[in-house]
Every structure is written in C-alpha cells, then in structure tokens.
C-alpha cells in the first residue's frame, strides 16, 4: 500500500479519535452554565460539541478520500486503531483510567493492523 495513503488513513483515524474525545468533553459540559455555548432545541451546544462534530466531519471526508485509493478490506482495519487512540487520549486529557487490559488489547490491535497492511 502506498505510504501516503497509510498516512492519510492514520490522519483520519486520529481525527475521528479526537472527535470522540471532544464529544465526551461536550457531554461532560452539557449542564455547565459557564461553558461557552448556547441552547438549541433543548440541547446545550458548546464549543466542544461544535468542534467535535467539525473534526468528525473533516475526518470522515478524509476517510472517503482514502477509500478511493485503498480497498476497504485493507483500509478498514486502520479504524481499529481508534480503540487504541481514544483510551490513550482519554487517559492523558481526561484522566480516565488506563489499565493493563487496554494496553494488551491495544497491542493485539496494533499487531493485527500491521499484519493486514503489510
């Protein structure tokens, strides 16, 4: 597989992971009156929510671009890397726990992606 397409696939997965983190942060601030945002149809729209949706949208468009040049059977396993990126980001940004089970599972996922992409 072309190296540039691998980089694009990884960028898309990182973006999707960041989008998930932003949505979690938005959910945590839904009832915070000090959070920057506004109400829309009974839902508190805040900066994290708007950013999360924007990042997910851009990452999805990049993913579609990636799929133009890579068979889905090879590209899709890269999406599994989000199962590594999201817990790691959650650990560092949100202080969520990260244990040996997540580390072991992440290692298996990474090995699987390496096998599929080689």
């Amino acid at each position: 597989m072309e190296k540039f397409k691998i980089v694009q696939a990884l960028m898309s997965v990182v973006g999707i992971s960041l989008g998930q983190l932003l949505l979690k942060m938005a959910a945590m601030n839904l009832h915070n009156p000090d959070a920057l945002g506004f109400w829309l149809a009974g839902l508190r729209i805040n900066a994290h929510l708007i950013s999360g949706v924007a990042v997910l949208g851009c990452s999805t468009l990049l993913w579609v671009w990636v799929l133009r040049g890579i068979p889905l059977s090879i590209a899709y396993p890269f999406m599994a890397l989000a199962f590594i990126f999201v817990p790691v980001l959650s650990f560092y940004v949100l202080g969520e726990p990260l244990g040996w089970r997540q580390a072991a599972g992440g290692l298996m996922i990474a090995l699987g992606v390496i096998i599929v992409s080689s």
Side-chain angles (χ1 to χ4, degrees):
M1 182 169 23
E2 183 184 327
K3 288 183 183 181
F4 187 63
K5 289 294 183 186
I6 291 172
V7 170
Q8 288 176 327
L10 288 172
M11 287 172 46
S12 178
V13 174
V14 168
I16 287 170
S17 300
L18 288 172
Q20 292 300 318
L21 182 69
L22 288 165
L23 292 182
K24 172 65 176 182
M25 294 167 75
M28 292 167 48
N29 283 321
L30 281 179
H31 298 294
N32 181 1
D34 296 328
L36 179 64
F38 56 93
W39 288 94
L40 179 66
L43 179 64
R44 178 133 179 94
I45 306 298
N46 59 41
H48 289 120
L49 181 58
I50 293 167
S51 300
V53 170
V55 168
L56 284 169
C58 291
S59 298
T60 299
L61 292 175
L62 178 58
W63 184 249
V64 171
W65 183 259
V66 167
L67 291 178
R68 291 183 61 192
I70 301 175
L72 185 60
S73 61
I74 294 172
Y76 198 70
F78 278 89
M79 276 297 161
L81 293 175
F83 289 106
I84 299 171
F85 297 153
V86 171
V88 169
L89 287 170
S90 298
F91 175 77
Y92 284 109
V93 176
L94 303 175
E96 293 185 356
L98 186 64
W100 70 268
R101 289 183 176 138
Q102 288 92 347
L107 180 62
M108 286 188 260
I109 290 168
L111 289 173
V113 171
I114 289 168
I115 290 168
V116 169
S117 65
S118 61

